[in-house]
């Protein structure tokens, strides 16, 4: 569903609406606060309960005006990173330390350890930062994400790192579209941070992407997630897109 006669438009999101149980829509590519306010107001008046607004951060003046006008609605800033695979790329994975095992998770529902890692992966997401969703809804969203990924409904593979006891301590979900391999969820158990497991997962990603003829790898993270940013940049990823996200709730209907 589109509201308004000219671009930009508020687009209703079918999957989000069905999952959350109320109508959700998104507005992108809107260059001024007045137009955004008008379009969002129309959407909320039409019965939509939540509108996501995404604003290009690279337009500094534009971003400043949006953050001033909608300060209470600002949730998170997203950064998209891209890694260009060299034409003569070789598999970057060498011999693994004996205590770690890296393998592809068998198709089926995720086990408890993977669900725990998925929730960790989403801890800084806008669905967790925005308290209006609530903990139960946030957890259900990321549990659904990892289960569907493991069932290969929204991911082509789930790569898992296990410790000596066979417990999953790291995971990454991947999907190939055209010549790009996209990272969905990526996480390492907190007790294993600083041991190179994040780099091991990225190596696994690049290996998988190379084997499937991809030319690049992409991933989205939050601007405040400095450990993730450090990992990606240390592995040669470059930031290619920046967006600020705002959430507008129909408070009366909620």
């Amino acid at each position: 569903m589109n509201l308004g006669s000219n671009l930009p438009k508020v687009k209703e999101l079918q999957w989000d609406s069905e999952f959350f149980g109320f109508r959700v829509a998104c507005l992108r590519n809107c260059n001024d606060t007045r137009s955004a306010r008008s379009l969002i107001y129309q959407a909320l008046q039409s019965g939509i309960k939540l509108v996501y607004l995404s604003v290009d951060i690279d337009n500094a003046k534009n971003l400043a005006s949006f953050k001033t006008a909608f300060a209470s609605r600002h949730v998170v800033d997203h950064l998209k990173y891209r890694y260009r695979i060299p034409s003569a790329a070789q598999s970057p994975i060498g011999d693994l330390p004996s205590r770690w095992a890296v393998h592809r998770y068998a198709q089926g529902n995720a086990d408890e350890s993977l669900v725990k890692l998925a929730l960790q992966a989403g801890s800084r997401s806008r669905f967790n930062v925005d308290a209006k969703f609530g903990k139960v809804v946030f957890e259900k969203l990321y549990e659904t994400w990892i289960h569907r990924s493991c069932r290969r409904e929204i991911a082509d593979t789930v790569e898992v790192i296990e410790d000596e006891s066979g417990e999953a301590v790291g995971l990454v979900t991947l999907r190939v579209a055209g010549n790009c391999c996209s990272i969905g969820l990526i996480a390492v158990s907190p007790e294993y941070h600083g041991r190179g497991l994040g780099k091991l997962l990225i190596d696994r990603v690049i290996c998988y992407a190379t084997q499937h003829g991809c030319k690049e790898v992409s991933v989205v993270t939050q601007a405040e997630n400095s450990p993730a940013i450090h990992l990606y940049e240390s592995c040669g990823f470059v930031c290619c897109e920046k967006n600020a996200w705002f959430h507008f709730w129909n408070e009366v209907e909620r």
Side-chain angles (χ1 to χ4, degrees), residues 125-142:
S125 76
R126 57 194 177 94
F127 301 101
N128 194 35
V129 172
D130 186 345
K132 290 186 173 68
F133 281 109
K135 182 179 179 181
V136 172
V137 173
F138 157 70
E139 291 184 349
K140 180 183 177 184
L141 176 61
Y142 275 79

Side-chain angles (χ1 to χ4, degrees), residues 10-249:
V10 176
K11 181 179 180 181
E12 192 158 354
L13 304 176
Q14 181 178 352
W15 190 92
D16 297 57
S17 299
E18 291 176 355
F19 180 83
F20 293 122
F22 51 79
R23 294 171 67 193
V24 182
C26 185
L27 174 62
R28 297 176 182 267
N29 304 318
C30 190
N31 295 322
D32 66 272
T33 56
R34 179 178 295 181
S35 296
R37 193 186 300 276
S38 176
L39 289 166
I40 292 168
Y41 177 79
Q42 292 176 46
L44 296 178
Q45 287 296 303
S46 77
I48 289 175
K49 290 191 177 183
L50 171 62
V51 178
Y52 309 142
L53 170 65
S54 177
V55 179
D56 182 4
I57 289 179
D58 284 331
N59 186 337
K61 182 178 178 180
N62 185 44
L63 176 64
S65 66
F66 273 90
K67 285 193 174 180
T68 298
F70 306 130
S72 64
R73 312 284 189 163
H74 180 233
V75 185
V76 297
D77 294 338
H78 278 180
L79 307 180
K80 182 176 182 178
Y81 277 83
R82 177 178 292 129
Y83 174 84
R84 302 281 189 182
I85 299 174
S87 57
Q90 300 294 319
S91 170
I93 297 179
D95 294 332
L96 295 175
S98 59
R99 67 172 305 182
W100 308 119
V102 184
H103 66 91
R104 181 172 302 174
Y105 192 78
Q107 186 171 352
N109 283 329
D111 64 24
E112 187 175 336
S113 64
L114 292 191
V115 170
K116 184 178 179 180
L117 286 167
L119 295 178
Q120 180 191 326
S123 62
R124 291 183 173 91
S125 76
R126 57 194 177 94
F127 301 101
N128 194 35
V129 172
D130 186 345
K132 290 186 173 68
F133 281 109
K135 182 179 179 181
V136 172
V137 173
F138 157 70
E139 291 184 349
K140 180 183 177 184
L141 176 61
Y142 275 79
E143 287 172 5
T144 299
W145 191 340
I146 188 58
H147 283 310
R148 294 191 67 200
S149 296
C150 288
R151 293 196 300 263
R152 308 299 192 265
E153 295 173 8
I154 58 173
D156 295 321
T157 186
V158 177
E159 305 292 310
V160 177
I161 301 177
E162 293 181 347
D163 63 12
E164 294 170 318
S165 68
E167 170 128 5
V169 297
L171 74 80
V172 62
T173 69
L174 302 173
R175 182 153 200 170
V176 173
N179 62 7
C180 181
C181 180
S182 300
I183 296 174
L185 299 172
I186 182 169
V188 172
S189 296
E191 59 267 33
Y192 291 99
H193 284 180
R195 303 194 191 185
L197 298 192
K199 175 65 164 55
L200 181 58
L201 287 172
I202 295 299
D203 284 349
R204 189 78 173 185
V205 170
I206 296 172
C207 179
Y208 183 88
T210 302
Q211 292 173 349
H212 287 78
C214 297
K215 295 183 178 179
E216 64 182 39
V217 176
S218 68
V219 63
V220 175
T221 190
Q222 299 79 32
E224 294 185 354
N225 193 348
S226 54
I229 291 172
H230 174 74
L231 170 66
Y232 301 139
E233 292 183 348
S234 68
C235 291
F237 284 67
V238 176
C239 185
C240 61
E241 189 176 312
K242 305 175 184 179
N243 294 94
W245 284 86
F246 302 77
H247 287 177
F248 293 81
W249 292 87

